[in-house]
């Protein structure tokens, strides 16, 4: 038994064990089907008995007619015999001969009709014997008349043996008629009883079906009432839930705006002292150069006054410290700029418009041709399904993704990057960015989307903000991003967006 059949049987068994409207309706419909089958069976039996009854009537009538035909043929033969004996005319003998000629066929028909009926067969056998004997008496008298012994022939008739045989045959035929009539009456009584029983079964089944229909209607009506009540209750809950969701959404929007304002203010305020630090660092660098020139002059004119440690501090230690401070401030400046970028993106008003994704992505791919040509890589953009969304966000997302794919190609093999997509059945559209680059370790599949987190060898410039920015932008448009990757084999980033982005009046996705 296949897995699908076992699953279906398990589901059906669980359905039968669980009390539900569907199970009740199934049970009632099954009972109604059984009743209809019983009615059909009773009707079929009745039709069979009616056919059997009709066949019995037909056979009985044919038996009675055949028996009467035997008697009729013998009476005709007797009439022709007596006419010939009295007149000597051959025309009466022709009547006798014609009746005798038809008699075997009539007897054969009677034999065939009673072949499987021992009770009637006994009467038919006696009738045949009597008919044979009666024909013998007639043949004897006719033979005497033909030889000129008419007196002897008439004497045979006067003896009364022929009449006795004919009376005996009439008794046998009457007995056959009685047997067939009794059978007909019995079968008719049985047929009438079967008809009444069938009518009773049909009437009872009809009443039960009507009762079942009433029960089904009552169950469905009760279910509909319960569904209506549940619908009203659900509407009430939904109304309350919508109000609560609206309130919570408003709170979240306000909180998010506060967080974005806070991030903007903090980033902005951090830049002021950072600018001062960078400015004073430049001044220290210039001052160090002045001091270095002065110390060089002193070293030339009065070497005894110059200490070696001071010279090393001015020419090596101070420039190294200033270089470290400059590198740190530049890194902090990049981080602050990234935070400001995220903050501005979160506060930016979105605009929903139709976007030809194939054209847009191909333009982004063309913009990095100089990088791909430098490393011998290729970018293949398939025919992509379009969508209605925020064009700027989409451009930023795909620019980051293609830039990352190019940046982290594996130098050991020619780079291959492919962008493809498809429409999904749930009103979403999916894009896949596939590369054969370095790949990402399993433990870093989620970490790479976090702020300031990077994966693998850190030989490329960056602060770990690109994928965090991408995920934030995609989720703001109602989509999501995931990665499928194996270290050393390449990566596939799966981006999902709603086919149509709905934007509220204040410019936020709805």
């Amino acid at each position: 038994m296949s897995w699908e059949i076992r699953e279906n049987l398990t589901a059906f068994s669980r359905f039968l064990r669980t009390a539900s409207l569907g199970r009740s309706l199934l049970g009632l419909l099954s009972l109604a089907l059984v009743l209809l089958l019983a009615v059909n069976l009773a009707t079929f039996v009745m039709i069979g008995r009616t056919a059997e009854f009709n066949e019995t009537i037909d056979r009985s009538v044919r038996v009675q007619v055949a028996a009467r035909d035997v008697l009729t043929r013998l009476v005709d033969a007797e009439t022709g015999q007596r006419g010939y004996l009295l007149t000597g005319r051959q025309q009466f003998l022709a009547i006798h001969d014609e009746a005798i000629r038809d008699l075997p066929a009539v007897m054969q028909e009677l034999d065939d009709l009673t072949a499987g009926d021992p009770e009637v067969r006994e009467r038919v056998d006696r009738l045949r014997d009597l008919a044979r004997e009666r024909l013998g008496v007639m043949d004897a008298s006719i033979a005497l008349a033909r030889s000129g012994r008419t007196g002897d022939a008439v004497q045979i008739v006067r003896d009364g043996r022929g009449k006795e045989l004919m009376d005996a045959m009439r008794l046998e035929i009457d007995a056959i008629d009685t047997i067939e009539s009794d059978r007909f009456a019995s079968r008719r009584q049985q047929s009438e009883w079967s008809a009444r029983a069938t009518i009773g079964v049909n009437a009872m089944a009809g009443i039960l079906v009507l009762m079942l229909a009433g029960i089904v209607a009552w169950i469905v009506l009760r279910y509909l009432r319960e569904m209506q009540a549940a619908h009203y209750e659900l509407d009430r809950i939904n109304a309350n839930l919508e109000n609560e969701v609206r309130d919570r959404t408003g709170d979240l929007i306000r909180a998010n705006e506060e967080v974005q304002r806070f991030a903007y203010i903090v980033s902005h305020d951090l830049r002021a002292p950072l600018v001062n630090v960078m400015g004073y660092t430049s001044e220290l660098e210039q001052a160090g150069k002045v001091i270095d020139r002065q110390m060089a002059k002193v070293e030339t004119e009065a070497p005894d006054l110059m200490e070696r440690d001071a010279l090393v501090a001015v020419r090596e230690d101070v420039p190294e410290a200033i270089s470290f401070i400059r590198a740190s401030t530049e890194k902090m400046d990049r981080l602050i700029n990234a935070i400001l970028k995220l903050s501005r993106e979160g506060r930016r008003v979105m605009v929903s418009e139709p976007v030809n994704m194939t054209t847009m992505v191909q333009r982004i791919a063309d913009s990095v041709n100089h990088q791909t040509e430098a490393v011998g890589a290729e970018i293949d953009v398939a025919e992509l399904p379009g969508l209605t969304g925020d064009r700027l966000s989409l451009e930023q997302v795909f620019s980051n993704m293609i830039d990352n794919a190019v940046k982290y190609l594996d130098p050991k093999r020619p780079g291959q990057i492919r962008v493809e997509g498809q429409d999904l059945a749930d009103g979403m559209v999916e894009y896949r960015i596939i590369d054969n680059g370095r790949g990402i370790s399993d433990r870093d599949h989620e970490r790479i989307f976090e702020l300031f987190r990077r994966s693998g060898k850190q030989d490329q410039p960056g602060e770990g903000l690109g994928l965090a920015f991408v995920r934030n932008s995609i989720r703001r448009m109602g989509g999501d991003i995931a990665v499928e990757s194996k270290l050393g084999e390449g990566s596939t980033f799966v981006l999902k967006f709603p086919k149509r982005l709905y934007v509220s009046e204040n410019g936020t996705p709805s």
Side-chain angles (χ1 to χ4, degrees):
M1 185 181 296
S2 66
W3 178 82
E4 291 83 359
I5 296 176
R6 288 198 300 272
E7 285 294 315
N8 291 334
L9 291 176
T10 302
F12 184 69
S13 176
R14 186 164 55 250
F15 167 77
L16 293 179
R17 293 195 303 269
T18 305
S20 63
L21 174 66
R23 191 185 71 171
S24 300
L25 292 178
L26 179 62
L28 292 173
L29 291 175
S30 299
L31 182 57
L33 180 62
V34 171
L35 290 174
L36 290 176
L37 289 175
V39 171
N40 289 336
L41 180 61
T43 304
F44 177 77
V45 172
M46 179 59 188
I47 292 173
R49 291 192 175 184
T50 301
E52 183 181 354
F53 175 68
N54 293 335
E55 184 179 352
T56 301
I57 293 175
D58 180 67
R59 191 190 66 81
S60 296
V61 171
R62 290 173 64 189
V63 168
Q64 291 173 334
V65 170
R68 292 294 175 183
D69 282 348
V70 171
L71 183 61
T72 299
R73 296 296 187 277
L74 288 173
V75 170
D76 289 345
E78 188 180 49
T79 300
Q81 173 220 6
R82 290 181 178 180
Y84 177 71
L85 294 180
L86 293 175
T87 64
R89 294 179 181 179
Q90 290 295 325
Q91 60 186 19
F92 289 103
L93 191 59
I95 295 173
H96 170 272
D97 292 342
E98 183 179 357
I100 296 302
R101 186 174 60 253
D102 295 338
L103 187 60
V106 177
M107 284 299 303
Q108 183 62 46
E109 182 182 3
L110 188 59
D111 285 341
D112 294 340
L113 291 172
T114 59
D117 190 348
E119 184 179 6
V120 177
R121 184 69 185 176
E122 183 180 357
R123 301 285 182 176
V124 172
D125 290 341
R126 284 201 293 269
L127 181 62
R128 182 188 296 105
D129 294 340
L130 292 172
R132 187 180 298 112
E133 187 176 354
R134 181 71 183 91
L135 289 175
V137 172
M138 283 190 290
D139 289 342
S141 63
I142 291 172
L144 290 173
R146 283 178 174 174
S147 64
R149 299 169 60 186
T150 304
D152 293 335
V154 172
Q155 185 61 39
I156 291 176
V157 175
R158 289 176 179 174
D159 287 343
R161 180 58 182 167
K163 182 178 182 304
E164 291 177 0
L165 293 172
M166 292 297 290
D167 290 342
M169 284 189 289
R170 288 188 176 92
L171 291 176
E172 294 297 333
I173 291 172
D174 289 341
I176 293 173
D177 283 343
T178 301
I179 292 172
E180 296 297 339
S181 297
D182 291 343
R183 288 178 176 177
F184 172 77
S186 175
R187 291 296 177 87
R188 183 175 61 183
Q189 185 178 5
Q190 292 178 3
S191 179
E192 290 175 352
W193 181 88
S194 297
R196 287 194 297 271
T198 303
I199 293 172
V201 170
N202 286 328
M204 184 178 298
I207 293 172
L208 290 175
V209 169
L210 290 176
M211 291 175 62
L212 290 175
I215 294 172
V216 169
W218 176 76
I219 291 176
V220 172
L221 183 61
R222 187 184 67 176
Y223 176 74
L224 291 176
R225 287 175 178 172
E226 292 176 354
M227 286 291 294
Q228 188 175 17
H231 182 68
Y232 289 150
E233 181 65 17
L234 184 60
D235 287 343
R236 185 186 64 80
I237 294 174
N238 284 339
N240 294 334
L241 184 60
E242 287 177 0
N243 293 332
E244 186 174 351
V245 169
R246 190 180 300 110
D247 294 340
R248 294 290 180 86
T249 302
D251 294 339
L252 288 175
I253 291 175
R254 287 189 293 272
N256 186 49
E257 291 175 350
E258 289 294 331
V259 170
Q260 290 175 357
R261 279 196 296 271
F262 176 75
Y264 179 79
I265 292 171
V266 169
S267 301
H268 185 271
D269 291 346
L270 283 175
R271 294 204 69 185
L274 183 62
V275 169
N276 292 333
V277 171
M278 294 174 68
Y280 284 118
T281 300
S282 297
E283 291 185 7
L284 284 175
E285 188 175 16
Q286 293 300 323
K289 292 179 180 180
V290 173
I291 294 172
D292 182 56
R293 286 198 300 271
Q294 186 63 34
M295 292 186 70
K297 184 176 180 181
V298 172
E299 183 182 14
T300 301
E301 296 178 355
D304 295 338
L305 298 177
M306 179 62 63
E307 293 187 5
R308 185 64 184 173
D309 291 340
L311 190 61
V312 171
V314 170
R315 291 184 175 177
E316 296 181 10
D317 294 343
V318 171
E320 183 179 358
I322 291 174
S323 176
F324 177 78
I325 294 172
R326 186 182 298 279
S328 297
T329 55
E330 288 176 352
K331 181 176 181 180
M332 183 174 291
D333 185 56
R334 290 195 300 270
L335 293 176
I336 291 173
N337 288 333
I339 294 173
L340 285 173
K341 182 181 178 182
L342 286 174
S343 177
R344 293 191 190 99
E345 180 64 23
R347 290 183 289 111
R348 187 177 64 82
V349 174
M350 285 191 170
V351 178
S352 183
E353 60 178 300
V355 181
N356 187 320
M357 295 299 295
T358 305
T359 302
M360 187 193 76
V361 175
Q362 186 62 60
R363 186 169 61 249
I364 295 171
D366 293 341
S367 69
V368 295
N369 271 344
H370 61 287
Q371 299 179 41
T372 55
E373 290 176 358
V375 296
E378 293 182 356
I379 301 179
D380 177 26
V381 179
E383 188 69 25
L384 303 177
L387 56 78
T388 300
D390 184 70
R391 181 183 297 274
L392 180 58
S393 295
L394 291 169
E395 288 179 347
Q396 292 173 341
V397 165
F398 280 90
S399 293
N400 272 281
M401 297 307 301
I402 291 177
D403 184 63
N404 274 358
V406 174
K407 184 186 297 185
Y408 295 106
L409 287 173
D410 192 337
K412 299 177 182 178
R413 54 177 173 265
Q416 296 289 334
I417 301 170
R418 177 173 173 81
V419 183
E420 60 186 36
Q422 62 178 346
D423 286 315
L424 301 180
D426 56 355
M428 302 290 286
V429 60
E430 177 184 279
Y431 302 101
R432 302 172 72 87
I433 301 172
I434 308 166
D435 66 65
N436 63 342
R438 303 178 184 180
I440 302 169
S441 174
D442 292 343
R443 67 175 182 273
D444 291 330
H445 283 185
E446 183 61 27
R447 294 176 66 250
I448 58 174
F449 296 106
E450 299 175 3
L451 281 171
F452 312 123
R453 294 293 185 93
R454 303 179 70 188
S455 172
K457 185 179 180 181
Q458 306 300 311
D459 59 347
Q460 295 291 336
E463 308 301 332
L465 291 171
L467 289 177
F469 173 80
V470 166
R471 184 165 70 172
N472 180 70
S473 298
I474 293 176
R475 287 183 174 177
R476 192 162 179 250
M477 288 185 284
D480 203 358
I481 182 172
V483 63
E484 303 168 0
S485 180
K486 287 187 177 181
L487 192 62
E489 296 183 10
S491 303
T492 298
F493 285 87
V494 182
L495 287 62
K496 292 183 180 179
F497 299 90
K499 188 70 175 176
R500 182 178 183 85
L501 174 65
Y502 293 95
V503 180
S504 62
E505 294 180 357
N506 60 2
T508 58
S510 59

